Amino acid sequence: MTHVTENLPSSTAGPLVHGGRSAAMATAFVRGGVAAGLGLGALAVLVTAAWISSPFPDSGPGEVLHTAAGLWLLAHGVDLFRTETLSGYPAPVGVAPLLLMALPVWLVHRAARDTLEPYSEVTTAGPRPSTGGAVAAVAGGYLLVAAGVVLYAASGPLPADLVSAGLWLPAVVLCAAGLGVWTVSGRPLPEQEQAAVALRSAARGVVALLGGGAALFGTSLVWHAAAAQESFDGLAGEWSGRISVVLLTVALVPNAAVWAASYGLGPGFSLGAGASATPLGLVGPAAVPHFPLLAALPSPGPGSWPHWSAVAVPLVATLVLGGCVGRSARLWTGRETALTALVGAWACGAAVAVLAAAAGGPLGSGRLSAFGPVWWQAGAAAVLWGAVVGVPAALGVRAWARRGLKPAQAPAPAPAPAQAPVPAPHAPEPVTPMEAAPDLATEHASDPATASDPATAPDPATALAPATAAAPVTVKGGRWQGRLKWGRLGWGRAARGGAATTAGPGSEEDDEPGFEPYDFLPAAWEPTLSPPPPLLPGQPSSVPSSDESSGPGRTEAPEALEPPAPSA
């Protein structure tokens, strides 16, 4: 038999199942079911170990497994019913240990992360499953097992509330799976800078608030250490019972931190129907069972300065939130900074509301039906603290960070290139129009064709008028084509050429050598023509009258002089 195992790839970075997208989704579904089984099995082992170590076990293995199934559902936030009561009526149990909830959340998170992690490498072959598909597949496999657990626990001592199971189970599983996909994607934040800063500041504010709550609870527990020790000794006398009480106490420490944070925020928490504890004091009859953690509760009566000092917890948390926003808002406007801090306060309030809802719940019926913080009061108080303290803190940190900034200055203009000195203008001697263009007058006077054709004869009004237009005046006729050219500031000269053209101002394409234009004179200077000399008596005028045959405004060519006859 030929073995082909040596041809298999040795790398473990590829996906577990080599196939299409359907195979990857099937693998994710199996991973979700395995995660649920691991959590249920771990809790069943723990409960079974406590049952075995108990000196007086009063139940069999079947009831132990039913109890483990109920506690596993309680770890997801599902409310249970305690059927074995003195009154015979089921009593609700809804205070879920948050540390126990961390186990199923971590398992689902890891299952979703491991589903997409092999496909994060660029060299991985095969189609990559979508993020939404991975979350749905992992959650589907997990919830399938959870549905079987709900049905199994219904026949035990701790059946589940179906409404609570339908709400909390999918919510916890989907959030944990989404967190795993977000982790494997690199924990991306929104592209908009303000939104990303708001989320980061809200996360830091929540961590600071919970840390402050844990410190406040620890301080109060140390202050009431004698009462806590008495309560612990009264619950169990043998070592197995004491271990169980210690484990339950440790699992409820995060709940106590959330309770203390809500106490510092102002709304406090409920200690049964009609009783609440706030920094102002403990109001109403508290239905407090004997438990070591509950020994840290404040004494009945109005509060004093140790109780009022609890407001330092939300104060520090909101300062952390505002400082995070202010350090990132160095180049933002004040309005953007305030809005970002306000959005961070709202996000922090939403997180506090969810934690408060998970940390509290009923411990029974009647007076024990409400224990822990009220979720909407705790969330609203967190938003209010963030708006009142966090926004001014963000603006203050921003102003402090901008103290060394200087306003942007416009760049200095480049130095202009050095120019040669311009000679001072001088006024030319006054000349008559005919003297300025002698070639034009002579050419038209000596050309009989031009003189006899009124249409082509030069117009004295055009020839004698000062040249103010930019384009030169072009005249056709004869063997010369004279162009009376007026530049920008002075007369040009008659030039030879072919067909008549119109040159632009300042054009020097037809200039003859030695020509000096007057373009260097200032633009406001204009030459003035001297008036013609007065006519002597009997001297004929050079401009014909309007009734002559040459037409109005026309000049006739002078008679040609015949050369004298040669002498004998």
Side-chain angles (χ1 to χ4, degrees):
M1 180 182 294
T2 304
H3 297 278
V4 294
T5 56
E6 63 271 16
N7 297 329
L8 296 177
S10 59
S11 174
T12 60
L16 181 64
V17 178
H18 295 274
R21 186 174 285 106
S22 300
M25 304 311 290
T27 304
F29 187 86
V30 172
R31 287 181 185 275
V34 171
L38 288 176
L40 181 60
L43 198 57
V45 169
L46 186 62
V47 174
T48 304
W51 174 71
I52 293 175
S53 62
S54 175
F56 307 104
D58 56 353
S59 58
E63 189 173 353
V64 170
L65 294 179
H66 281 89
T67 302
L71 292 179
W72 184 80
L73 295 174
L74 183 64
H76 294 79
V78 179
D79 291 345
L80 305 178
F81 288 103
R82 198 161 44 89
T83 57
E84 297 178 358
T85 59
L86 296 177
S87 61
Y89 294 99
V93 177
V95 180
L98 293 182
L99 191 60
L100 188 63
M101 189 180 292
L103 176 63
V105 168
W106 177 73
L107 289 173
V108 177
H109 169 272
R110 183 175 179 179
R113 184 196 65 187
D114 294 344
T115 299
L116 294 180
E117 191 172 17
Y119 298 93
S120 60
E121 301 292 337
V122 181
T123 58
T124 301
R128 182 181 187 273
S130 62
T131 57
V135 171
V138 172
Y142 195 97
L143 292 177
L144 182 62
V145 177
V149 174
V150 170
L151 295 178
Y152 178 78
S155 59
L158 295 174
D161 182 11
L162 297 181
V163 176
S164 178
L167 293 177
W168 280 98
L169 266 175
V172 172
V173 173
L174 288 175
C175 289
L179 187 63
V181 171
W182 178 67
T183 301
V184 78
S185 301
R187 298 182 179 90
L189 292 176
E191 296 182 359
Q192 188 180 10
E193 186 180 5
Q194 285 80 4
V197 171
L199 292 179
R200 282 197 299 264
S201 63
R204 294 181 182 180
V206 171
V207 171
L209 187 63
L210 294 180
L216 181 62
F217 161 73
T219 303
S220 179
L221 186 62
V222 171
W223 188 269
H224 301 87
Q229 180 66 33
E230 182 181 357
S231 176
F232 178 77
D233 294 338
L235 285 177
E238 66 280 352
W239 65 271
S240 58
R242 291 185 176 182
I243 291 178
S244 300
V245 172
V246 168
L247 292 178
L248 183 58
T249 301
V250 172
L252 287 172
V253 166
N255 298 61
V258 176
W259 286 31
S262 178
Y263 181 83
L265 286 170
F269 47 85
S270 299
L271 294 174
S276 61
T278 64
L280 299 179
L282 181 59
V283 180
V288 181
H290 292 283
F291 195 74
L293 292 183
L294 297 178
L297 294 175
S299 303
S304 57
W305 68 265
H307 305 90
W308 302 335
S309 62
V311 298
V313 173
L315 179 63
V316 173
T318 49
L319 288 177
V320 170
L321 187 149
C324 178
V325 174
R327 285 191 298 271
S328 303
R330 187 179 182 185
L331 303 179
W332 299 351
T333 62
R335 183 174 180 271
E336 293 175 342
T337 305
L339 288 179
T340 304
L342 192 59
V343 172
W346 276 97
C348 181
V352 169
V354 172
L355 290 175
L363 284 178
S365 57
R367 294 177 57 190
L368 299 177
S369 59
F371 265 87
V374 181
W375 64 271
W376 65 268
Q377 294 180 0
V383 174
L384 185 62
W385 273 95
V388 174
V389 179
V391 173
L395 294 175
V397 173
R398 170 184 172 272
W400 179 261
R402 291 171 58 91
R403 69 189 186 279
L405 293 179
K406 297 180 179 179
Q409 298 179 356
Q419 298 181 353
V422 180
H426 60 278
E429 297 180 359
V431 293
T432 61
M434 296 307 296
E435 291 177 351
D439 296 340
L440 181 63
T442 306
E443 179 181 357
H444 284 274
S446 58
D447 193 347
T450 306
S452 59
D453 188 2
T456 59
D459 190 354
T462 305
L464 300 180
T468 57
V473 179
T474 307
V475 183
K476 299 181 181 179
R479 65 181 181 277
W480 298 93
Q481 284 195 349
R483 186 173 58 183
L484 184 61
K485 178 180 178 183
W486 173 256
R488 186 175 54 168
L489 297 174
W491 289 95
R493 84 251 174 250
R496 299 179 182 179
T501 59
T502 303
S507 175
E508 298 294 340
E509 59 183 7
D510 296 331
D511 292 341
E512 295 181 358
F515 171 72
E516 245 180 273
Y518 294 96
D519 291 349
F520 63 88
L521 296 179
W525 180 87
E526 295 181 1
T528 57
L529 300 178
S530 59
L535 298 177
L536 298 178
Q539 182 178 0
S541 175
S542 60
V543 181
S545 60
S546 58
D547 56 351
E548 294 182 2
S549 61
S550 59
R554 301 290 183 177
T555 56
E556 295 184 0
E559 297 181 0
L561 300 177
E562 296 191 14
S567 58

